[in-house]
Amino acid sequence: MARAENEPARPTGCQVTASGVSVRFDDVFKAFDDTVVLAGVSLTVEPGEIFALLGPSGSGKTTMLRLLAGFEQLDRGRLLIADEAVEHLPPARRGVGMLFQSYALFPHLSVAENVAFGLKVRGGAQGEANARVAEMLELVRLSGFEQRRIAELSGGQQQRVALARALAPRPRVLLLDEPLSNLDPALREETRADLRRTVKQTGITTVLVTHEQEEAFELGERIGLLNEGGLEQVGGPAELYRDPASRFVATFVGRCSVLPGVVLERHGGDELTVRLESQPHAEPWLCRGDSGLRAGEQVDVCVRPEALELSTDGGSGLAGRIEAERFTGSNSFYTVRLASTRSDAGDGSAAGPAIEVAMPGSAAGMNGACVVRQLPGEPPSVFAGASTESDP
Amino acid sequence: MPWLVLAFLVWLVGYPLLVVAAEAFGIGSPGGGGPTTEAFRSFFTRADEWNAMWRTLWISVLSTLAAAAIGVPLGFLFERNEIPGRRLLGALVALPVALPPLVGVIAFLFLYGESGLAARGLQTLGLDVSWRLTGAWAILLVHAYSMYVYFYLFTRAGLSGQDGAAIEAAQSLGASRRQILFRVTLPRLRPALAGATLLTFMTSLGSFSAPYIFGGGFRVMTTQIVASKLNGELRMAYVETTMLALLAFASLLLLRRIDPGLDLASGARGTPPARRRLRSRGARVAAAAGGWVLAGVLLLPHATLILMSLVPPNTWTVEAFPPVLGLVNYGELLSSTERLRPALNSIWMAAAATLAAVVVGVMAARLSLRRGGLPGRALEAMMTLPWAIPGTVFALALAAAMSVNAPWVGRFVLVGTLWILPLAYLVRSLPLTGRSIFAGLRQLDPRLEEAAASLGAGPLRTVLRIVLPLLRPAVIAGAGLAFITMLGDFVTSIVLYTYDTRPISIEIQSSLRIQETGIAAAYGVLLMLLSAAAFIAWDDRAGGRL
């Protein structure tokens, strides 16, 4: 957990890398007027870690970032950087650097003046500041751009200047607010790798806010998934994907179909068999779920498209009819409308839930009646509930 | 802090208005006596008072219509047609807006007055004509001449912001040119026209120079107020002031209703339609000639003013054109410190008021936008209020409030001191600087300040290094306008000046009164040059935005 460290708020010395410090939210509560935005969130970000706060808009992730930066005041709880309470410090004294979504570069200053702003504010020697600016611009590969005006830069270059500016004063923590959302998709992928490389190179503890799962997965070493002011799950990308803690996590992270079912039997560990409600006579599915689930209980089965396969040649499985196909090149995603009971299969009146199945790109072009089968290996997650809706 | 700034603004802007209204009812006046509605009863029963109210209204309505009738077609002409010399002519046509009202008025007097250049010229030609430039028509003429520019500029701005694709869409749907004008172009011009109407009407309502110089016995509210004050009927002057303020408020509320705001503005701002080229050579020459004649007519009053300033005293009697021209008047003006003093007074008072208005404006705007809520709205309201209230009203209100020594209720004797006129100028500058600073700050990304804070900058440094540099165009635009307006101020000065603080406008008026027309004209030219210099510097700095 949090490492006890007593680093100065304004470290001196002239190295690119900073040794990371921990960041802790301790039962943080924040409301705007009557709207509760954060309802007692606790979270520890490890020193040097890149932590991604992921969630839909309005989930409270940006508020967490702004609380940490000092732009908002928390109503209750504690905020610690390197085990030092910072909730009462003004933004200028928290030792936090921020990359804003809009970059917030000062348009009347040159690239070098922007990067030097935080250094000049601290009143260090001019020579040292110049050296640091050069070092930072080199880090973001913008050497030679010192005298350019901000308006002369491309979006990607502006983003890198903003990063250099945030890092120049050697903050203890770096905050990234939707850092890639202002870039066009083609540039985003390239910049993402670049950003991760730069941040890792500095070794600084980084908190990133994004609503895009792909961005969180690629940049974040660990991810905190927020929903309605609370943390649904904290973990690595693979953990969130394979072992979601809630139906919300399962549906927000990656694609999944939700099918209502009933627990038939519990096995060892977290394994259990579930009978799908729409086709009770079909072979039960092997699933994973909370140990609290008992036989006979109503559950939602959240199944990933790649955990299923599709066949138009008959055989056992869930009967249905292909409704739509989405071809992405490497894969073909089929939306299959399941028959409400097995006896309905093939007669065209199928009206059960829809389910999404991923097939290799080579299997494109299937249509008509089909059966859907569970692939061995990755059992779907089940959660207590009695949903009748599907969410492909 | 917000409360402190708000308290200052309320004291400066709102409080004097309350004092003048209270004193109109006999409350708090130094003469003593209980509250009474006597003065109001007298106001409502006297025909000359009603006449002044009624005249103020219809003069304002007719001025607005006349200004629209000239300004809108001119706007279309210069924005939609490619005529030779369009850019230069287009700028010249806007010139009257940069000149102080009093200068325009005396220039008119010298040109079209009873013994003006025009009358003398016609008489020399053997035409037995004589007229008196006085009364309602004279006021209307001057108003139309000086205020059409609002409609002209607003029309041009509105047209240049229109999307040419809308016109092409109408064409492709089979609309004729006439239908396009009435069903596409004009409806979308409504916000611009509503803005110009509001500005023209409110300016006309508070107009003082033209009615004062040309009105004669024809009194509007502003001249009626000043006359009552000069006659020593103070309480009646306060009643008239209150009534004019109410009239201004009512007009503002009414006119706001015709302004559709941004509802009509389409989200996408495309390219305006291409300007129409005149095909035949003859038409182009005719258009150019017409344009230059128009510019000549518009600039003639000011040329006359310059001419008059070159006429030495007592040298022009019955001739059609002044027989002697020279720089005697300027020599006189520059040779004595007493003569030069009004110019220096105008400059320092306008500069001080502008500077103070910028400081108050930046503070109020920042606090208002950050704080929001009731104090935020109140701050903005106090900043913009003086715009809606005629200058005469504020002059009387300050004269009423600041002529009593009662510090415990916020009243100090400032009337008759060096401070009252700069303070009055400050009040009138507030909406001019405030409007552009508020607009500038609203456009500023609040994240910029957060970025500065996260980089370790304190509030003062953030303001000095980030906010002010970025706000510079807005500050310069507002300050330039305030400075030019205050440099030529006549309406508040005539109520509040002292001998030591008399500005150029007062000196022009007193020179006219003692028949020193050459000196008056020279002061007029000086004021014109100062305003033009400030305007050019301002236009340059503000990046040509008007």
Side-chain angles (χ1 to χ4, degrees):
Chain A
M1 274 287 162
R3 197 176 66 196
E5 263 179 302
N6 284 314
E7 290 205 0
R10 292 168 193 174
T12 49
C14 197
Q15 82 282 9
V16 174
T17 44
S19 50
V21 298
S22 67
V23 168
R24 210 165 90 213
F25 291 81
D26 194 357
D27 195 23
V28 166
F29 188 93
K30 175 72 185 171
F32 292 109
D33 298 323
D34 295 335
T35 314
V36 175
V37 181
L38 293 175
V41 172
S42 295
L43 170 71
T44 302
V45 180
E46 301 295 339
E49 183 180 32
I50 304 180
F51 191 93
L53 285 168
L54 176 68
S57 50
S59 59
K61 55 192 191 304
T62 299
T63 305
M64 282 182 76
L65 206 67
R66 292 176 61 80
L67 284 170
L68 195 54
F71 302 136
E72 306 287 353
Q73 298 306 311
L74 42 76
D75 297 335
R76 209 179 64 207
R78 298 189 72 200
L79 214 51
L80 299 106
I81 296 178
D83 291 333
E84 174 201 351
V86 295
E87 65 265 17
H88 301 300
L89 292 179
R93 294 191 44 220
R94 293 195 179 189
V96 165
M98 181 148 170
L99 175 61
F100 292 81
Q101 187 175 10
S102 62
Y103 312 142
L105 289 170
F106 307 132
H108 60 301
L109 302 180
S110 67
V111 167
E113 285 168 329
N114 264 282
V115 178
F117 187 89
L119 302 169
K120 285 196 175 158
V121 164
R122 285 162 167 78
Q126 183 69 39
E128 203 178 308
N130 288 346
R132 180 70 178 165
V133 169
E135 189 185 10
M136 285 297 106
L137 288 179
E138 199 188 323
L139 179 71
V140 297
R141 294 184 290 116
L142 280 175
S143 298
F145 282 70
E146 286 80 359
Q147 298 317 314
R148 293 277 186 98
R149 313 300 305 179
I150 297 305
E152 294 168 0
L153 303 181
S154 71
Q157 289 169 336
Q158 290 188 9
Q159 195 251 22
R160 277 143 63 196
V161 174
L163 181 63
R165 185 182 68 175
L167 287 173
R170 298 186 182 82
R172 299 187 293 176
V173 178
L174 178 66
L175 307 181
L176 307 173
D177 184 10
E178 307 260 5
L180 303 171
S181 65
N182 269 340
L183 301 175
D184 53 71
L187 199 57
R188 230 177 259 187
E189 207 159 317
E190 181 192 326
T191 312
R192 198 148 54 202
D194 216 33
L195 184 64
R196 188 183 159 98
R197 175 192 63 80
T198 311
V199 171
K200 269 325 275 182
Q201 202 173 329
T202 62
I204 190 172
T205 308
T206 301
V207 181
L208 154 88
V209 152
T210 179
H211 64 273
E212 283 192 27
Q213 178 219 322
E214 209 180 326
E215 204 167 298
F217 273 37
E218 198 163 324
L219 286 172
E221 291 162 334
R222 279 195 309 149
I223 294 157
L225 184 58
L226 275 162
N227 184 34
E228 292 178 349
L231 271 172
E232 292 271 346
Q233 190 174 1
V234 175
E239 185 186 344
L240 255 64
Y241 192 81
R242 295 204 188 108
D243 198 6
S246 66
R247 186 187 141 147
F248 174 80
V249 178
T251 52
F252 191 83
V253 174
R255 304 179 70 86
C256 97
S257 308
V258 181
L259 304 171
V262 176
V263 177
L264 278 183
E265 191 184 346
R266 272 215 82 90
H267 309 289
D270 57 359
E271 289 194 344
L272 34 80
T273 42
V274 174
R275 190 185 65 214
L276 295 178
E277 260 185 6
S278 57
Q279 298 191 11
H281 307 300
E283 196 179 320
W285 278 12
L286 183 66
C287 301
R288 290 191 307 159
D290 190 82
S291 57
L293 295 170
R294 296 275 164 258
E297 204 166 327
Q298 293 269 344
V299 288
D300 286 334
V301 179
C302 297
V303 58
R304 304 274 181 209
E306 66 272 14
L308 300 169
E309 69 173 351
L310 187 66
S311 163
T312 48
D313 305 331
S316 66
L318 300 174
R321 177 170 285 276
I322 294 172
E323 267 191 352
E325 181 189 359
R326 190 169 53 85
F327 179 67
T328 64
S330 53
N331 283 304
S332 237
F333 290 87
Y334 288 96
T335 306
V336 176
R337 178 67 60 186
L338 295 181
S340 59
T341 65
R342 193 178 175 94
S343 57
D344 289 344
D347 67 6
S349 64
I355 187 167
E356 193 176 43
V357 184
M359 294 292 282
S362 55
M366 293 196 274
N367 54 48
C370 63
V371 289
V372 175
R373 277 188 291 267
Q374 194 185 8
L375 284 172
E378 294 280 324
S381 303
V382 299
F383 305 101
S387 171
T388 49
E389 276 178 33
S390 79
D391 199 357
Chain B
M1 193 63 172
W3 296 107
L4 206 68
V5 177
L6 184 59
F8 173 73
L9 281 173
V10 167
W11 172 77
L12 190 63
V13 176
Y15 186 54
L17 293 174
L18 288 180
V19 169
V20 86
E23 295 215 350
F25 284 104
I27 304 165
S29 58
T36 166
T37 54
E38 188 198 322
F40 276 93
R41 279 209 301 276
S42 157
F43 178 90
F44 286 115
T45 49
R46 271 161 57 171
D48 58 334
E49 301 291 345
W50 275 112
N51 271 337
M53 277 286 257
W54 170 235
R55 283 166 176 166
T56 304
L57 257 183
W58 71 253
I59 283 278
S60 300
V61 171
L62 287 187
S63 298
T64 307
L65 290 177
I70 303 171
V72 175
L74 275 181
F76 269 91
L77 180 69
F78 282 98
E79 197 57 42
R80 283 283 164 86
N81 296 285
E82 194 56 66
I83 53 175
R86 189 184 68 86
R87 289 177 68 95
L88 179 66
L89 279 174
L92 282 178
V93 167
L95 205 62
V97 82
L99 298 173
L102 185 66
V103 172
V105 168
I106 61 164
F108 249 75
L109 187 68
F110 293 147
L111 177 59
Y112 300 118
E114 202 176 338
S115 55
L117 207 60
R120 287 182 191 237
L122 289 175
Q123 279 155 10
T124 319
L125 291 174
L127 296 166
D128 185 22
V129 286
S130 69
W131 66 77
R132 285 171 59 80
L133 187 64
T134 179
W137 296 110
I139 298 173
L140 272 178
L141 189 68
V142 179
H143 278 185
Y145 168 76
S146 53
M147 294 174 200
Y148 78 82
V149 185
Y150 298 141
F151 276 97
Y152 168 71
L153 290 176
F154 274 68
T155 302
R156 284 196 67 170
L159 286 176
S160 72
Q162 285 193 2
D163 188 358
I167 291 174
E168 283 164 4
Q171 278 170 342
S172 73
L173 292 166
S176 68
R177 277 181 62 179
R178 195 185 144 83
Q179 284 170 320
I180 288 173
L181 175 68
F182 283 100
R183 302 191 61 172
V184 180
T185 307
L186 282 180
R188 300 187 66 203
L189 208 55
R190 211 177 108 181
L193 294 181
T197 302
L198 185 67
L199 192 57
T200 311
F201 189 88
M202 298 307 282
T203 307
S204 187
L205 204 66
S207 165
F208 178 76
S209 301
Y212 184 75
I213 303 283
F214 292 123
F218 182 89
R219 294 241 181 93
V220 293
M221 283 305 280
T222 50
T223 48
Q224 182 81 359
I225 289 170
V226 172
S228 296
K229 184 170 186 292
L230 288 178
N231 289 338
E233 290 186 83
L234 265 190
R235 188 162 297 169
M236 182 50 85
Y238 295 157
V239 172
E240 289 157 358
T241 304
T242 309
M243 292 306 293
L244 180 56
L246 290 177
L247 185 63
F249 261 130
S251 307
L252 184 69
L253 292 182
L254 200 71
L255 286 172
R256 277 270 169 92
R257 296 181 60 146
I258 63 164
D259 184 356
L262 295 170
D263 295 347
L264 284 180
S266 72
R269 273 170 66 101
T271 327
R275 292 194 181 86
R276 218 148 45 88
R277 293 195 77 86
L278 294 171
R279 280 202 198 88
S280 85
R281 194 180 143 76
R284 278 203 300 275
V285 171
W292 285 106
V293 168
L294 176 76
V297 169
L298 291 171
L299 295 179
L300 206 53
H302 301 93
T304 310
L305 188 71
I306 295 172
L307 180 75
M308 291 299 292
S309 74
L310 297 172
V311 179
N314 310 318
T315 58
W316 190 16
T317 49
V318 294
E319 297 86 351
F321 198 79
V324 193
L325 295 177
L327 294 171
V328 184
N329 296 316
Y330 291 98
E332 166 77 20
L333 213 146
L334 294 172
S335 63
S336 102
T337 41
E338 268 313 288
R339 288 282 199 194
L340 210 53
R341 193 149 156 187
L344 298 177
N345 278 341
S346 282
I347 292 173
W348 86 256
M349 291 193 297
T354 302
L355 189 68
V358 166
V359 172
V360 175
V362 170
M363 284 169 74
R366 266 176 65 80
L367 291 170
S368 166
L369 297 181
R370 288 182 132 203
R371 181 89 183 206
L374 191 66
R377 283 199 301 278
L379 275 168
E380 190 166 4
M382 282 297 130
M383 287 292 291
T384 41
L385 183 65
W387 183 82
I389 304 284
T392 314
V393 169
F394 264 108
L396 257 284
L398 282 171
M402 301 305 164
S403 58
V404 174
N405 187 33
W408 53 92
V409 287
R411 296 176 72 173
F412 308 91
V413 179
L414 294 177
V415 171
T417 71
L418 192 66
W419 300 109
I420 188 71
L421 212 43
L423 208 59
Y425 286 4
L426 167 60
V427 175
R428 298 199 57 215
S429 301
L430 286 176
L432 303 175
T433 57
R435 182 177 283 232
S436 70
I437 292 172
F438 267 90
L441 262 186
R442 283 204 167 95
Q443 284 175 0
L444 217 60
D445 183 359
R447 303 280 173 270
L448 290 173
E449 287 193 45
E450 292 181 355
S454 77
L455 290 166
L460 186 67
R461 190 187 286 261
T462 304
V463 169
L464 292 180
R465 291 267 291 143
I466 304 300
V467 178
L468 282 185
L470 290 173
L471 217 51
R472 214 178 73 153
V475 166
I476 290 173
L481 203 56
F483 183 75
I484 293 170
T485 311
M486 289 309 115
L487 200 63
D489 174 82
F490 182 48
V491 41
T492 34
S493 305
I494 196 164
V495 178
L496 297 170
Y497 80 96
T498 64
Y499 183 74
D500 287 332
T501 59
R502 66 193 191 281
I504 298 181
S505 57
I506 296 299
E507 200 64 11
I508 291 176
Q509 182 226 2
S510 45
S511 301
L512 276 182
R513 190 172 282 164
I514 54 170
Q515 305 294 325
E516 284 185 346
T517 46
I519 292 285
Y523 273 121
V525 172
L526 184 66
L527 190 51
M528 201 160 87
L529 291 177
L530 285 173
S531 304
F535 181 76
I536 289 166
W538 165 64
D539 197 42
D540 201 34
R541 293 287 190 88
R545 67 180 78 172
L546 201 74

